[in-house]
Amino acid sequence: EPPRPPTPEPTLSTYTRDDDKVSSSTDWRKIDIRLVGSHPLWAHYLWNAALALASFLDSNVDLYKDRCVLELGAGGGLPSIVVAKNGVRKVVITDYPDAALVDNMSYNVLQNTTEEEREHVDVQGYIWGQAVKPLLDALPSTLHPKSFDIIILSDLIFNHSQHDALLKTCELVLSPPRPEDPTSEPCVLVFYSHHRPHLAHRDMEFFSKAQERGWTCLEILTKTFPPMFPEDSGEELIRSTVHGWKLTKRS
C-alpha cells in the first residue's frame, strides 16, 4: 500500500480593516487567520462571505456591542474575532467538534486578541440541531434568561441537508424580541454565495423554510468579490457575489 500523502500545511489569510475604522494608533488594524491545511468540511478556506460579514460587523458595532453573539460553522473564526475586538459582551465561536477545527479556532483567538478580550470569548465544538445547553452555559452567569442577541452564519446554507438543523439551533438560543428596545432586535445574520449556481434554488430553500417557521427574512447586503474558484462552472458573477440577510422572529 503506498504511503498516504502528507497533510497540507496550514495557510494564513489576513483581514485588513478599512482605514475609516482606524482612528488612533492603538486601534487594531488586521486579523491573521490560520486555516487548517485541508478539511472535508471546507474549513481550509477563508470564504468571501466571512470577509463580507467581518466588514459588515466592523461597520455596525452598535449591533452587538455589550451583547451576546453565537457563530455557527465558524471555520477560522474571523467574524467572531472582529466582534471580540469591538466590545462584545460574550461571543461563543463554534464549529464541528473536530479537534483540528476547534484547536485552530482557539489558536486564532489567542493570536489576535488581548487577554482582556479573551475573557469575552468561548470556543467549542457543536453539531447543529443538537442540545444547546453547552452554548448557553458559556454565557455570563448574570444573564437571565440565557440567550443570544445575534447569531452569525457565514457560508453555511450550501449544506442543504442541514437547513432544518441550523434553524432549530437558532430558534432554541436566540433571545425573544424586546418591545422596550426595538432598536436592538435579536437577529440571525446569514451571509453566503451561490458557489454552485445551478443549485442556487436549493440554497434559497433555507429562507423558504425559515419563513414557514415564522421568521422574517430581509436581504441587507450584496457585495462582489473575486471568485473563490475561477475555474469552476457556472456564471462567475453569481459565484462572486456575497449576499447578506437578516432574519428576525416574533415570539
Side-chain angles (χ1 to χ4, degrees):
E1 183 178 340
R4 293 181 60 184
T7 300
E9 290 296 313
T11 60
L12 195 70
S13 294
T14 299
Y15 169 78
T16 303
R17 203 176 195 192
D18 294 337
D19 289 340
D20 63 340
K21 305 296 186 306
V22 182
S23 57
S24 74
S25 59
T26 59
D27 284 348
W28 65 275
R29 293 179 176 271
K30 67 183 181 72
I31 295 173
D32 292 322
I33 295 294
R34 188 181 74 175
L35 301 162
V36 293
S38 180
H39 201 275
L41 299 180
W42 300 92
H44 51 299
Y45 292 106
L46 182 60
W47 298 90
N48 288 337
L51 294 169
L53 181 53
S55 179
F56 176 84
L57 292 167
D58 202 18
S59 299
N60 293 274
V61 176
D62 290 345
L63 192 65
Y64 55 84
K65 188 175 178 63
D66 297 322
R67 304 177 75 195
C68 296
V69 175
L70 169 67
E71 182 169 11
L72 300 175
L78 173 60
S80 288
I81 293 173
V82 168
V83 304
K85 299 192 71 62
N86 285 344
V88 75
R89 183 177 182 183
K90 189 77 173 191
V91 57
V92 179
I93 312 174
T94 73
D95 209 321
Y96 190 81
D98 171 87
L101 290 182
V102 177
D103 291 348
N104 193 64
M105 291 188 295
S106 297
Y107 174 89
N108 285 332
V109 171
L110 181 64
Q111 294 298 311
N112 289 285
T113 58
T114 66
E115 184 176 356
E116 180 181 358
E117 289 165 347
R118 287 194 291 278
E119 293 177 358
H120 302 274
V121 178
D122 184 82
V123 177
Q124 58 179 277
Y126 176 72
I127 298 175
W128 308 330
Q130 300 301 305
V132 298
K133 186 177 185 298
L135 306 178
L136 300 176
D137 285 348
L139 293 173
S141 59
T142 55
L143 184 66
H144 299 287
K146 288 194 173 185
S147 56
F148 291 92
D149 303 291
I150 308 290
I151 304 173
I152 51 181
L153 281 58
S154 175
D155 241 335
L156 303 185
I157 65 171
F158 71 88
N159 294 286
H160 302 145
S161 66
Q162 297 302 306
H163 288 175
D164 289 311
L166 285 165
L167 288 166
K168 178 182 177 181
T169 294
C170 292
E171 290 163 358
L172 289 172
V173 302
L174 188 68
S175 298
R178 300 186 185 88
E180 74 281 2
D181 187 11
T183 61
S184 61
E185 186 173 30
C187 67
V188 180
L189 297 175
V190 183
F191 279 52
Y192 65 92
S193 295
H194 294 301
H195 298 291
R196 299 165 294 179
H198 68 288
L199 294 177
H201 66 287
R202 295 287 309 280
D203 297 341
M204 298 306 291
E205 287 174 1
F206 176 84
F207 302 103
S208 300
K209 290 183 176 182
Q211 289 172 327
E212 291 171 0
R213 297 169 75 124
W215 293 86
T216 298
C217 306
L218 176 68
E219 187 168 18
I220 58 173
L221 175 145
T222 58
K223 190 172 183 178
T224 303
F225 289 80
M228 291 283 302
F229 310 103
E231 70 282 359
D232 278 3
S233 61
E235 187 176 338
E236 186 170 287
L237 180 60
I238 295 176
R239 293 185 288 112
S240 303
T241 301
V242 172
H243 304 266
W245 287 62
K246 178 180 180 181
L247 276 60
T248 55
K249 199 173 195 293
R250 297 296 177 189
S251 58

